[in-house]
Amino acid sequence: MDDPHRRPEGVSDETVAALGSLSKALETTERARGHLFGFHQLTGTADLELDRAVRLLREAGHGEWADRVETEILGRDVVPGHWTFQLVEAYDRTYYRVFKDLERAAVEALADGRDHLHEAEMKEARRTRGHPDHTARPESLDTPEAPHSRDAPGARDNPGPRGTGEAPGTRDAPGGSPGPGAAGASDTPAGPGARGVPGTPDGPGERPSAGPGA
């Protein structure tokens, strides 16, 4: 196992499990934040579509309905005083950043800043040593390991971290995940980055006043 993922001396199994659980909770929050950005962008896209709806209603001779859509819905606050970009900002300011900073501080204080200790030890316990597709790290591709063995250190039937007797790869293990894609929040959409309507590129036909998803 590479040093950045090696358990520091004196760090207990309980601490590794607790930090793994805290990390898993943060990763789940990253996914929730991604859904919030989806809401943010879809609301903006819907609001811009109202420009077309208003135009088509007028062309169809329904000017009164076009006026109602334009004045009552187009550009409307999604909650009093807020477009969706303001909801995203409030969430980031009062919850997400606080959570992320606390998780980072806990890892720094309790594990010398080493991330994903639980997942790293799970990988060691579940991989087949010596197998070309079960390497410990990228650099080990150039460093042959001992032949395949389920009895070698790090074999799949090894006990859990530090001889706890519980396999760290169990699906319910704190901070664990069903497989090799365990850690990280790579599926989280990018953060706020919208101009006018968040997540909706400025382009031909866009109203000067973007929708509430902006």
Side-chain angles (χ1 to χ4, degrees):
M1 190 188 305
D2 50 333
D3 288 342
H5 293 116
R6 188 180 299 280
R7 183 193 301 216
E9 192 65 33
V11 175
S12 67
D13 291 342
E14 293 78 10
T15 298
V16 170
L19 289 176
S21 182
L22 182 62
S23 174
K24 182 178 181 180
L26 177 61
E27 290 169 2
T28 304
T29 297
E30 296 279 9
R31 295 178 63 191
R33 184 169 178 259
H35 287 296
L36 180 60
F37 277 104
F39 162 71
H40 164 60
Q41 294 181 347
L42 288 171
T43 301
T45 300
D47 192 76
L48 288 179
E49 180 64 20
L50 290 177
D51 290 333
R52 180 170 180 268
V54 168
R55 176 176 58 79
L56 292 176
L57 283 168
R58 292 197 194 286
E59 291 175 357
H62 306 299
E64 183 179 349
W65 285 105
D67 289 343
R68 287 196 61 185
V69 172
E70 188 171 38
T71 58
E72 296 179 30
I73 306 300
L74 194 150
R76 187 185 183 97
D77 291 344
V78 292
V79 297
H82 293 73
W83 277 15
T84 58
F85 77 90
Q86 291 165 302
L87 297 180
V88 170
E89 289 176 351
Y91 176 83
D92 278 355
R93 181 176 62 253
T94 65
Y95 185 81
Y96 172 71
R97 289 175 192 154
V98 177
F99 191 171
K100 190 169 185 177
D101 289 348
L102 190 151
E103 190 267 351
R104 183 72 253 160
V107 172
E108 293 288 346
L110 303 178
D112 291 347
R114 299 183 186 183
D115 290 310
H116 302 124
L117 293 180
H118 181 87
E119 289 89 340
E121 293 184 1
M122 181 193 302
K123 179 178 181 178
E124 283 300 295
R126 294 176 67 82
R127 72 187 186 90
T128 302
R129 295 178 68 84
H131 191 292
D133 295 321
H134 289 242
T135 54
R137 55 190 181 278
E139 310 87 87
S140 63
L141 291 171
D142 300 322
T143 308
E145 292 185 307
H148 304 5
S149 172
R150 290 294 182 87
D151 298 324
R156 293 182 189 174
D157 56 352
N158 267 8
R162 298 295 170 92
T164 59
E166 180 180 352
T170 52
R171 292 176 184 262
D172 295 329
S177 78
S186 60
D187 59 347
T188 304
R195 212 182 265 181
V197 177
T200 306
D202 294 341
E206 181 174 289
R207 297 177 83 249
S209 169

